[in-house]
Amino acid sequence: MWVQKFLTVSFKYNNQRTMTFANSEYFFLLLLLIPYIVWYVLKNGSSSATLQFSDTRAYAYAPKSFRNYLLHIPFLLRIAAFTMLVTILARPQSTNSFQNTEVEGIDIMLVMDVSTSMLAEDLKPNRLEAAKQVATSFINGRPNDNIGLTIFAGESFTQCPLTTDHAVLLNLFNLDMAVNGLIEDGTAIGMGIANAISRLKDSKAKSKVIILLTDGSNNRGEISPLTAAEMAKSFGIRVYTIGLGTNGTAPYPYPTIAGIQYINVPVEIDEEVLIQIAGIANGQYYRATNNSKLKEVYEEIDKLEKTRLNVKEFSKKQEEYKIFALIALICILLEILLRNTLLKRIP
């Protein structure tokens, strides 16, 4: 067994196939070449000339025949032929293996609060940037899933529909619209969920998920959060809810004539509603009070919502002795040809 392990030989070619040797222990036979080579060297060093002359000075500057350069070719051909025969005994085989991978992705809509309260700096650098950083890592960790982005403040709209092109999704990860006054400020949680449902309801995926992140309580929109949760449940969509913000008060940057002044504002997260939303829509509620906790929340959701992956491996072996046999035959024929023509001995 140790011999087999010691002599396990394989190499790759064509970037797909792998050459292996089923009986690699036969390579030990190559050790027989050592005494043969030693014998050949000693034999040629001590051999005497066929014709002897009393004085060879007359031939000192005579040009050498090209046959002089072919004298050792039969020896080299014999070694090559023996090496090829040993290789044949070792049973060279090519292995062509491939995988049949079946990926069943999950459809996920990220629903993120982008109201101005997300500028509070109880998370660093602020809630908005912390949420963006953690969500980006979450997206990068799920390459096989359809992921989209809905943002909401006083109103809601789809920033990016479901896509597997996550580079496009990340390029559209602009969460500063409420801050820049592009959408109405406020917190329309129900509208955010309803908007995400409109993107997921016709999905054929077996698993459909909404991940809602907010730092406040619902105060805008025509659809209540609990009504939206019931809608999600009817379409088989799970809703995970995340309440973002520390306990008590949080520092908030307030612009003044003298520059940015920080004031402490109360953290008002409607945890009761977020818990009810998660309960109705078969999800879970999480509270993230700092950056590390927010990261842990997304990691926990990532573990709960795993992509199903089935991998089938196939392997096909083929005997590859023919090329080695051909080389051995050519070497033997060349030696016979040289021995009977250019290197024919005088009897």
Side-chain angles (χ1 to χ4, degrees):
M1 181 62 69
W2 69 269
V3 173
Q4 185 71 23
K5 290 182 179 179
F6 180 76
L7 282 173
T8 298
V9 183
S10 67
F11 59 90
K12 291 185 177 181
Y13 63 99
N14 292 337
N15 296 323
Q16 293 180 344
R17 291 193 169 193
T18 302
M19 179 75 78
T20 59
F21 296 90
N23 299 325
S24 54
E25 62 273 11
Y26 277 100
F27 282 116
F28 275 127
L29 292 174
L30 294 176
L31 295 175
L32 296 175
L33 290 174
I34 297 175
Y36 175 66
I37 293 171
V38 172
W39 171 82
Y40 183 83
V41 172
L42 295 176
K43 173 179 174 293
N44 282 275
S46 61
S47 61
S48 58
T50 306
L51 297 175
Q52 296 184 0
F53 297 87
S54 59
D55 190 352
T56 60
R57 283 178 295 180
Y59 302 97
Y61 300 101
K64 291 184 178 180
S65 170
F66 73 93
R67 290 182 176 85
N68 292 87
Y69 299 101
L70 299 177
L71 287 175
H72 302 293
I73 295 299
F75 169 70
L76 297 176
L77 290 172
R78 211 171 300 133
I79 289 178
F82 180 78
T83 302
M84 292 300 102
L85 291 173
V86 169
T87 303
I88 293 170
L89 290 174
R91 288 187 62 197
Q93 298 174 335
S94 64
T95 304
N96 191 5
S97 59
F98 57 94
Q99 293 181 340
N100 181 18
T101 304
E102 298 176 1
V103 177
E104 184 181 303
I106 295 172
D107 286 357
I108 302 173
M109 284 299 297
L110 303 177
V111 181
M112 304 193 73
D113 189 342
V114 296
S115 59
T116 54
S117 61
M118 289 286 285
L119 292 177
E121 296 183 9
D122 46 349
L123 278 78
K124 301 301 178 185
N126 57 47
R127 294 174 185 171
L128 199 62
E129 286 301 315
K132 182 177 178 180
Q133 291 169 9
V134 175
T136 298
S137 298
F138 177 82
I139 293 168
N140 288 331
R142 305 186 70 91
N144 298 315
D145 295 332
N146 275 318
I147 303 178
L149 174 64
T150 290
I151 61 176
F152 69 93
E155 52 188 321
S156 172
F157 66 90
T158 301
Q159 180 77 339
C160 181
L162 289 167
T163 180
T164 54
D165 190 344
H166 295 169
V168 172
L169 172 60
L170 294 174
N171 286 334
L172 293 172
F173 224 94
N174 178 15
L175 305 183
D176 302 328
M177 290 196 170
V179 176
N180 296 329
L182 297 178
I183 61 174
E184 180 187 353
D185 198 13
T187 307
I189 295 175
M191 295 298 292
I193 297 174
N195 190 297
I197 291 171
S198 69
R199 296 291 175 177
L200 288 169
K201 62 184 180 66
D202 296 324
S203 169
K204 303 300 181 182
K206 290 185 178 180
S207 184
K208 296 176 284 189
V209 174
I210 290 174
I211 302 176
L212 168 72
L213 182 144
T214 183
D215 67 343
S217 57
N218 189 76
N219 55 25
R220 292 285 192 281
E222 295 79 19
I223 301 176
S224 73
L226 298 185
T227 300
E230 292 288 354
M231 292 168 57
K233 181 181 179 181
S234 67
F235 287 107
I237 302 170
R238 281 191 300 282
V239 180
Y240 295 95
T241 57
I242 303 171
L244 184 64
T246 189
N247 296 309
T249 60
Y252 184 86
Y254 190 78
T256 65
I257 297 175
I260 298 296
Q261 300 291 327
Y262 283 89
I263 59 174
N264 288 323
V265 296
V267 178
E268 298 176 342
I269 301 173
D270 195 343
E271 290 193 278
E272 182 179 347
V273 168
L274 294 179
I275 292 171
Q276 288 179 323
I277 292 171
I280 292 170
N282 301 314
Q284 291 188 39
Y285 167 69
Y286 301 91
R287 180 68 185 273
T289 55
N290 52 50
N291 293 65
S292 60
K293 184 63 178 177
L294 179 61
K295 184 178 179 181
E296 289 174 8
V297 167
Y298 272 91
E299 288 175 350
E300 179 66 24
I301 295 173
D302 183 59
K303 292 176 183 177
L304 291 173
E305 297 295 338
K306 280 297 182 184
T307 300
R308 295 171 180 83
L309 184 66
N310 299 320
V311 179
K312 297 179 181 179
E313 292 189 359
F314 301 89
S315 180
K316 181 180 179 181
K317 291 187 176 181
Q318 183 175 345
E319 299 290 340
E320 297 288 353
Y321 66 90
K322 294 179 182 178
I323 182 66
F324 301 102
L326 179 62
I327 295 172
L329 179 61
I330 291 172
C331 289
I332 293 170
L333 292 176
L334 280 176
E335 183 189 357
I336 294 172
L337 182 64
L338 288 172
R339 288 291 184 192
N340 290 278
T341 56
L342 298 176
L343 301 177
K344 187 173 182 180
R345 292 180 177 273
I346 301 173

